[in-house]
Amino acid sequence: MRELMLVPIDIILELLVFFCTGSLLMRVLRMQAETTMAVFMGYLLYFVVFEAVAVPMTLKWVSLTHFAWFWAAVMAAAVFAGGIFLHRQWFRQIGKIGEVFCNHSWLLLLTAGVILLQCMMVAMYQDNTADAAHYIGSVSTSVYTDTLARYNPLTGALQKKFNIRYDLSAYPMHNAVWCRLLGIHPIVQAKIAMAVINVLMINFLVYQIGKKLFDQNVKKADLFVIFVCLLQLFSYSLYTSGTFQLTRCYEGKALLANVAIPAAFLASLGLWLDKNTKNAWVLLFLASVSALTFSGSSIIYPAVVSTAVLPVMLLKRKLSWAIPYALCMVPGFLYAAVFFTSKLGWLVFPAS
């Protein structure tokens, strides 16, 4: 019963942090206030900052408790800053709820029902694989040893050196931090609370892609969310994005396939359709860094960036885009450099 009560608290608190963080970022970028985009942008920015802070603390052997309370202070500061600077904007958004319902009509309820169905599926699905053992084990060993990724998640033994393939991606440590702060069980946090949040973010992203594709028509964007959900439901195979979204949504690889890569597509649409491309570049850079947080498989992300940018850059003949294009590939190249130098034994990160 205690765990069941903690799950909605956990979800609400994390969404609040994402919303406040994203709203602040959108104000800096002078983007039009929009709730789902604010939450999604905040989600990406959260994991960008988390990766930048968590990896050095992991390599420095900082305890989970110390890091968790430091991160709690960072999150509290973001929420406080959002409340101070954006409370008037939020009140105006609340006053437009009726207008939102009118714009979407009954499709809003249908879309919400489809998203709720996905949330129920990922919360109830039981998956017992080697990957599940690793992702959950990494959280569990960190929580119960009060460390950051220093113990082997499969054996429970203290590692001699960090596993670069996994330990430089801080997503499991995000779950460990929330387990320490709320006292929630690692399996419940990773496979229920965070899986539900991930499904919400995926659908918010699909909705934003729909708005870009259909010239900001929210009804068509709602239908696009429903269509993509049906596509995912009936695309079951071993390694499809639908399989990862609906059966392995607690894994970082699922977020690489369903968040980081589609975010590059959204950025590409922004580069093609928008007169001011600054926001599209910011989105693409956030996606490229957060991809590192989600999974070591983000080593492929420079290719994703190239796929998103090069066709538009060539068609529009925008050679000036070469610099931001290169900057968006830097995170993936840096990770690749660290990974291969570590594999060759030139760079070692001791864990004990």
Side-chain angles (χ1 to χ4, degrees):
M1 180 61 70
R2 175 179 175 275
E3 298 293 340
L4 291 176
M5 293 175 63
L6 284 173
V7 168
I9 295 173
D10 187 333
I11 293 172
I12 291 170
L13 288 176
E14 292 198 47
L15 291 177
L16 175 63
V17 173
F18 299 153
F19 175 68
C20 292
T21 305
S23 296
L24 288 168
L25 175 61
M26 291 177 70
R27 176 166 180 172
V28 171
L29 297 175
R30 296 182 179 178
M31 295 174 64
Q32 183 178 356
E34 204 271 337
T35 303
T36 56
M37 190 61 176
V39 175
F40 180 73
M41 292 287 283
Y43 177 85
L44 291 182
L45 180 58
Y46 173 98
F47 281 111
V48 167
V49 179
F50 189 87
E51 176 80 359
V53 175
V55 170
M57 290 198 173
T58 299
L59 300 179
K60 285 290 186 179
W61 304 359
V62 174
S63 73
L64 174 63
T65 298
H66 289 157
F67 176 58
W69 286 113
F70 169 79
W71 190 246
V74 172
M75 292 189 292
V79 173
F80 180 76
I84 292 295
F85 294 109
L86 301 172
H87 63 280
R88 293 181 180 176
Q89 174 184 301
W90 293 344
F91 282 127
R92 287 195 298 268
Q93 287 179 264
I94 292 173
K96 294 181 179 179
I97 290 178
E99 181 182 334
V100 170
F101 276 99
C102 290
N103 291 338
H104 289 265
S105 72
W106 58 271
L107 280 172
L108 183 61
L109 297 177
L110 182 58
T111 306
V114 166
I115 296 173
L116 179 61
L117 173 64
Q118 295 174 64
C119 292
M120 292 174 61
M121 289 178 65
V122 299
M124 298 174 66
Y125 184 80
Q126 297 296 318
D127 180 44
N128 299 299
T129 64
D131 280 340
H134 188 281
Y135 278 99
I136 307 303
S138 182
V139 180
S140 298
T141 53
S142 297
V143 170
Y144 295 117
T145 60
D146 196 26
T147 60
L148 294 172
R150 293 179 61 195
Y151 284 77
N152 188 310
L154 301 179
T155 66
L158 183 64
Q159 300 183 113
K160 292 184 179 179
K161 59 182 181 180
F162 287 104
N163 185 342
I164 298 304
R165 179 182 175 187
Y166 293 103
D167 296 338
L168 290 187
S169 296
Y171 175 74
M173 294 305 100
H174 155 79
N175 285 324
V177 164
W178 282 92
C179 289
R180 177 49 48 92
L181 292 176
L182 296 182
I184 193 170
H185 193 282
I187 293 178
V188 177
Q189 162 62 24
K191 298 189 76 170
I192 298 179
M194 202 59 207
V196 169
I197 290 173
N198 291 338
V199 163
L200 292 174
M201 296 305 113
I202 292 167
N203 281 277
F204 289 170
L205 173 57
V206 171
Y207 174 71
Q208 292 300 324
I209 292 173
K211 287 179 67 177
K212 283 289 186 187
L213 289 173
F214 300 110
D215 195 25
Q216 303 300 313
N217 187 312
V218 294
K219 291 183 180 180
K220 290 182 179 180
D222 290 339
L223 288 171
F224 184 69
V225 171
I226 296 169
F227 171 77
V228 171
C229 174
L230 291 173
L231 189 67
Q232 299 289 62
L233 283 171
F234 292 100
S235 65
Y236 182 80
S237 182
L238 187 59
Y239 293 121
T240 64
S241 61
T243 300
F244 274 96
Q245 177 182 333
L246 298 173
T247 67
R248 304 171 68 176
C249 204
Y250 58 89
E251 296 182 16
K253 285 180 288 188
L255 302 180
L256 185 61
N258 289 286
V259 173
I261 293 176
F265 177 55
L266 178 60
S268 182
L269 290 174
L271 293 175
W272 179 255
L273 297 172
D274 297 344
K275 292 181 179 179
N276 184 358
T277 60
K278 176 185 66 176
N279 296 337
W281 286 115
V282 171
L283 172 63
L284 186 58
F285 183 77
L286 292 178
S288 66
V289 180
S290 61
L292 304 180
T293 317
F294 299 143
S295 172
S297 298
S298 60
I299 197 170
I300 69 167
Y301 208 77
V304 176
V305 173
S306 296
T307 304
V309 174
L310 283 180
V312 184
M313 187 169 74
L314 293 175
L315 287 171
K316 288 198 168 188
R317 299 179 182 178
K318 293 283 189 178
L319 294 179
S320 59
W321 288 0
I323 294 177
Y325 164 52
L327 288 175
C328 289
M329 292 200 295
V330 165
F333 283 138
L334 281 178
Y335 176 81
V338 172
F339 177 80
F340 286 115
T341 53
S342 176
K343 284 296 182 182
L344 292 171
W346 299 345
L347 192 63
V348 178
F349 299 103
S352 61

